[in-house]
Each structure stands twice: as C-alpha cells, then as structure tokens.
C-alpha cells in the first residue's frame, strides 16, 4: 500500500443522538471539527470496513454530533457505535516545515548523533510539556522527548531515520 493510501485514525463513533440516526463522535483532529473536511471516511468495525462521503456535523456541548449518509434511524446508527473513523493519509494537508504527523514518524529508526542505534519509533505520547517518542529495540523501551533542535536533530523520511542527541545508556 502506498504511503498516501495508508489509513489514518481521525476519530471514533462513540454513541447515539436522538432517533433520526445521528451519532456522537470523538474527533482526534485539531481543531476537532476539522474531521468533516477529510473525505471519504472509512468506518472500521468488527463487521468490516465501509467507505462513506457526505458526513455533516456540529458541536453539541462538549461533544460532537454527526449525520451520516444512508443512516436515517437509530437502529442503523447503533450498528456503527464503536467504529473507528479513518481517512487516507493523502487527504491530510502537508505539514508545515518543522511539523510532523505522528503517523509519519511511527516506524522510523532512531540513532544517536554518534550513530548508536536506539530502536524504532513504536508510537508517540502527548504530555503537558512536549510530545514523547516511544522507541523500542526488542529488549528495551526508551521514552525520548520529541523536541526539535534540543534532542531531535534530524528527521529523514527518505532514509527512514531520526537522529537524536541522547545518551544510549539512558
């Protein structure tokens, strides 16, 4: 699968709203209403995948409510609760210089500026201070701050490599 065809998780259907088939959403986009700008959605559940376009939504209190095409009753909507909402990577805008999508960093190898291999980025975590890379090498897991210039010196997608200023013993 080409990188642009890779499916990226952008939200989840978490509940029902009313009797007309509307659903409650949890959006992982920032801002959260941005989820409606990316189409088509691929809804993924235990029942399989289905691609849909034409979703509309609104903010409702602290949550979000969506109307989905071909979903006009509560029973149809109930079948979708728990579905992950994914979009193709190619639907997302290009990041600005110095910004990265976490999904693009996952799977890259990490080495120190001295060339010591630390492992591969498993995933990233959001913390109050900065994002953190979870780097695994099979034996060990390291948590490295994703702070450009201070710790992260280069990100080279062509080489599949992130170079960091980090003590391999830490």
């Amino acid at each position: 699968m080409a990188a642009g065809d890779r499916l990226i998780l952008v939200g989840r259907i978490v509940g029902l709203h009313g009797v007309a088939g509307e659903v409650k959403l949890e959006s992982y986009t920032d801002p959260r209403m941005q989820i409606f700008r990316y189409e088509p959605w691929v809804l993924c559940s235990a029942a399989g995948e289905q691609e849909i376009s034409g979703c509309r939504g609104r903010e409702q209190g602290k949550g979000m409510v969506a109307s989905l095409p071909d979903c006009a009753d509560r029973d149809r909507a109930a079948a979708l609760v728990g579905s992950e909402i994914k979009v193709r990577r190619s639907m997302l805008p290009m990041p600005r210089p110095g910004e990265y999508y976490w999904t693009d960093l996952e799977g890259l190898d990490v080495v120190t500026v001295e060339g010591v291999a630390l492992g591969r980025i498993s995933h990233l975590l959001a913390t109050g201070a900065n994002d953190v890379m979870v780097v695994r090498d099979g034996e060990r897991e390291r948590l490295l701050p994703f702070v450009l210039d201070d710790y992260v010196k280069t990100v080279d997608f062509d080489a599949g490599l992130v170079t960091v200023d980090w003590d391999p013993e830490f």
Side-chain angles (χ1 to χ4, degrees), residues 1-2 24 32 43 91 97 103 105 108 115 123 128 132 136 138 166:
M1 176 182 300
K24 294 179 184 178
R32 67 185 184 169
L43 299 182
M91 296 293 101
T103 190
L105 297 169
L108 296 182
H123 60 282
V132 173
R136 295 182 178 149
W166 193 256

Side-chain angles (χ1 to χ4, degrees), residues 73-144:
D73 65 63
R74 189 172 177 87
D75 290 337
R76 173 73 178 112
L80 299 174
V81 173
S83 296
E84 294 180 328
I85 302 167
K86 297 183 178 184
V87 298
R88 287 181 179 73
R89 171 62 180 87
S90 59
M91 296 293 101
L92 302 177
M94 292 298 297
R96 289 177 274 189
E99 292 183 353
Y100 303 94
Y101 285 115
W102 285 8
T103 190
D104 294 341
L105 297 169
E106 293 169 354
L108 296 182
D109 291 320
V110 178
V111 298
T112 67
V113 291
E114 293 84 19
V116 177
L118 298 180
R120 180 167 285 157
I121 300 173
S122 165
H123 60 282
L124 288 95
L125 304 169
T127 68
N130 52 264
D131 297 333
V132 173
M133 297 181 290
V134 179
V135 178
R136 295 182 178 149
D137 70 0
E139 299 174 14
R140 185 170 175 185
E141 180 177 273
R142 292 179 175 90
L143 303 178
L144 283 72

Side-chain angles (χ1 to χ4, degrees), residues 36 38-41 51-57 66-70:
F36 295 103
Y38 308 131
E39 289 196 343
W41 287 359
E51 191 170 295
I52 62 173
S53 293
C55 303
R56 295 184 330 265
S67 299
L68 309 179
D70 301 323

Side-chain angles (χ1 to χ4, degrees), residues 10-14 24-29 35 64 85:
V10 294
R12 183 178 314 275
I13 297 175
V14 295
K24 294 179 184 178
L25 294 185
E26 182 177 349
S27 173
Y28 306 141
T29 63
I35 193 170
M64 297 172 60
I85 302 167

